[in-house]
């Protein structure tokens, strides 16, 4: 017998209608390029988002067409987050930190037809746009206002959206091979928003009375859902624009009475250092905490914020493929009364899954591993906001198990209390300041150098960036090359921050029985990290 309830579609226009009706007066603030503040309301943002949808329809774009953004975190990007999917198009956030050749590939693969770009990022766009099928370039500070002015938000007719239609997409370079597109649906986005709201990490859950500043870029996995969460709850939003240095962020926190913020560890390490240097300068007594994820939040940083500044770090884990938030630190049961040091031990783990997300840990033979805090296997995840496949990339189907779980590539153990702890990574990548560097691409490029016989690139621990690339290089007999020469050889093909800091010249690269580079051994050799 079926239930007898409405088949109500979970689509983003519901959030817009709600924000306009109930939270129209709540504020959205942006730090502009000249460091002044732009202020308006959720109501105005929603109205302009509708105008954007009408304008895009007017450009002749059709249902399901991809509209890219190449932007910092600001209110126009927020409007794109709402207006593009509500107009029946797919918001495709392009990562401004990628090399133009990767961006050309990604925009072409996605089939982007239009792009909204910050004036400051137009030079980057100019380096790859001609290689794509993009027909409409809309510069935020110029054409965007004109486009909106010519569109009547009241001419808006909501397309009859199905909840399974794509709302947004984001490419991830998280594993080897070409970047892969994760395609979020309206339904997955709505459920992720509800899931994040229901997560209530460490009892610090977000509500209408919060002031949220997402430092996490809007070009990363939905800015961890904050634009949608704030729209759903009517919370104040503060966008930092391009000013992501610790001082500017601390100014924003104080002036805009920010209660909740989120980003990768590198950002928070910088902020902690500034707070430590001048604790009396910043009054953060209104702040509840910060979600830190994307890379492991160091325990010493978690303890530093709490003990020296009274601030709670909520550690979260997720992936582009999981929308992205999948687990957060939770001090549940007797942990609430545990001593501070024990609490830090738990917060330093990757946490417990959000409601509706399921996690399991399996060994290479597919056996489920016990929750003993020791047995290590690959973390697998499933849930309504976890990707079921990559866009137009059938060769990646083996990232999913036969019974439909997504294989994360993170090597974990699970504590008896259910806490996931990441121990290693089976994917061959380096995560520096929250952004991926492909070791395989660097190796291939290095091995194209005439003096290089073999090259393996590994991650070594770094206090500021979490990880940095190190290249182990075997030179051909009779040939020479210096680290500087090799770096200069790579420079034209890669973003500057991809270039290895260290080159180690070795006589051979250790190999596994099947002839693959044995990176565990290299890591042990050069960073002291045990295999
Ligand atoms: P991305 O798709 O760029 O968000 O990267 C997802 C990957 O980042 C995960 O599979 C992990 O390898 C890593 N990651 C994310 N959050 C954490 C965390 N809290 N601790 C350790 N690694 C993390």
């Amino acid at each position: 017998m079926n239930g007898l309830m409405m088949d109500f579609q979970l689509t983003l226009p519901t959030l817009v209608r709600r924000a306009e009706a109930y939270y129209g007066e709540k504020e959205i603030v942006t730090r502009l390029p000249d460091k002044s503040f732009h202020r308006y309301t959720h109501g105005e943002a929603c109205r302009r988002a509708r105008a954007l949808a009408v304008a895009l329809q007017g450009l002749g774009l059709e249902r399901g067409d991809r509209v890219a953004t190449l932007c910092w975190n600001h209110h126009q990007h927020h409007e794109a987050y709402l207006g593009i999917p509500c107009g029946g198009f797919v918001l495709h956030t392009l990562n401004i930190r990628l090399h133009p050749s990767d961006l050309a590939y990604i925009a072409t693969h996605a089939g982007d037809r239009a792009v909204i770009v910050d004036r400051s990022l137009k030079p980057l766009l100019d380096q790859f746009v001609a290689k794509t099928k993009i027909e409409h370039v809309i510069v935020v500070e110029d054409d965007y206002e004109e486009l909106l002015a010519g569109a009547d938000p009241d001419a808006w007719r909501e397309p009859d959206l199905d909840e399974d239609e794509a709302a947004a997409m984001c490419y991830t370079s998280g594993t080897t091979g070409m970047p892969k597109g994760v395609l979020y649906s309206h339904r997955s986005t709505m459920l992720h928003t509800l899931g994040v709201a229901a997560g209530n990490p460490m009892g610090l859950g977000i509500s209408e009375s919060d002031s949220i500043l997402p430092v996490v870029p809007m070009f990363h996995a939905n800015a961890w859902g904050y634009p949608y969460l704030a729209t759903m709850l009517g919370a104040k939003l503060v966008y930092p624009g391009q000013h992501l240095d610790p001082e500017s962020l601390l100014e924003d926190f104080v002036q805009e009475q920010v209660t909740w913020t989120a980003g990768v560890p590198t950002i928070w390490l910088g902020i902690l250092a500034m707070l430590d240097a001048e604790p009396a300068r910043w009054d953060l007594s209104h702040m509840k905490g910060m979600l830190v994820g994307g890379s492991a939040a160091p325990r010493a940083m978690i303890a530093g914020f709490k003990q020296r500044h009274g601030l709670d770090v909520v550690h979260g884990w997720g992936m582009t493929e999981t929308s992205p938030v999948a687990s957060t630190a939770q001090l549940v049961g007797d942990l609430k009364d545990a001593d501070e040091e024990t609490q830090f031990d738990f917060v330093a783990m990757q946490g417990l899954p959000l409601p509706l997300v399921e996690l399991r840990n399996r060994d290479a033979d597919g056996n489920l591993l016990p929750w003993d805090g020791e047995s290590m296997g690959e973390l697998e995840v499933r849930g309504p906001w976890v990707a079921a496949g990559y866009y137009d990339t059938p060769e990646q189907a083996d990232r999913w198990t036969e019974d439909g779980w997504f294989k994360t590539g993170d090597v974990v153990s699970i504590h008896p209390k259910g806490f996931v702890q990441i121990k290693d990574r089976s994917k061959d990548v380096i995560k520096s300041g929250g952004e991926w560097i492909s070791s395989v691409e660097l190796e291939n490029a290095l091995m194209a150098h005439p003096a290089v016989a073999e090259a393996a690139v590994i991650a070594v621990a770094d206090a500021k960036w979490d990880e940095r690339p190190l290249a182990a290089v075997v030179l051909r007999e009779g040939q020479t090359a210096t680290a500087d020469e090799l770096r200069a050889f790579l420079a034209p093909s890669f973003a500057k921050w991809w270039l290895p800091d260290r080159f180690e010249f070795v006589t051979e690269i250790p190999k596994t029985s099947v002839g693959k580079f044995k990176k565990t051994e290299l890591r042990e050799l050069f960073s002291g990290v045990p295999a």
Side-chain angles (χ1 to χ4, degrees), residues 247-323:
E247 188 166 15
S248 303
L249 289 171
L250 282 162
E251 284 165 8
D252 296 344
F253 294 164
V254 173
Q255 177 175 314
E256 300 304 324
Q257 295 284 294
V258 170
T259 57
W260 189 262
T261 171
V264 296
T266 303
I267 296 275
W268 305 113
L269 286 166
I271 288 184
L272 182 58
M274 186 156 269
L275 283 175
D276 285 344
E278 292 182 276
R281 185 172 161 202
W282 315 101
D283 178 6
L284 299 181
S285 50
H286 51 275
M287 196 171 233
K288 290 202 300 207
M290 59 197 84
L291 184 66
V292 182
S295 285
R299 188 186 183 285
M301 185 191 91
I302 295 166
F305 270 114
K306 182 72 178 173
Q307 291 176 326
R308 300 199 291 279
H309 307 286
L311 292 173
D312 277 299
V313 169
V314 174
H315 191 189
W317 170 86
M319 307 178 67
T320 307
E321 291 90 336
T322 63
S323 291

Side-chain angles (χ1 to χ4, degrees), residues 294-296 315-320 350 410 422 425 427 431 436:
S295 285
H315 191 189
W317 170 86
M319 307 178 67
T320 307
Q350 278 68 21
D410 286 324
I422 297 189
R425 210 184 271 145
K427 38 199 181 194
K431 203 162 204 197
W436 291 115

Side-chain angles (χ1 to χ4, degrees), residues 51-110:
L52 174 62
V54 171
L56 293 172
Q57 287 162 353
L59 288 179
L61 297 183
E62 286 169 24
R63 187 87 161 247
D65 276 347
R66 270 73 69 203
V67 178
T69 56
L70 193 64
C71 295
W72 294 99
N73 288 13
H74 48 55
H75 61 285
Q76 296 98 336
H77 209 171
H78 179 87
E79 292 159 15
Y81 259 58
L82 299 176
I84 293 171
C86 290
F89 313 111
V90 182
L91 164 77
H92 178 198
T93 51
L94 291 170
N95 184 335
I96 67 172
R97 304 210 194 276
L98 294 183
H99 190 270
S101 59
D102 284 331
L103 287 166
Y105 170 82
I106 289 171
T108 305
H109 188 267

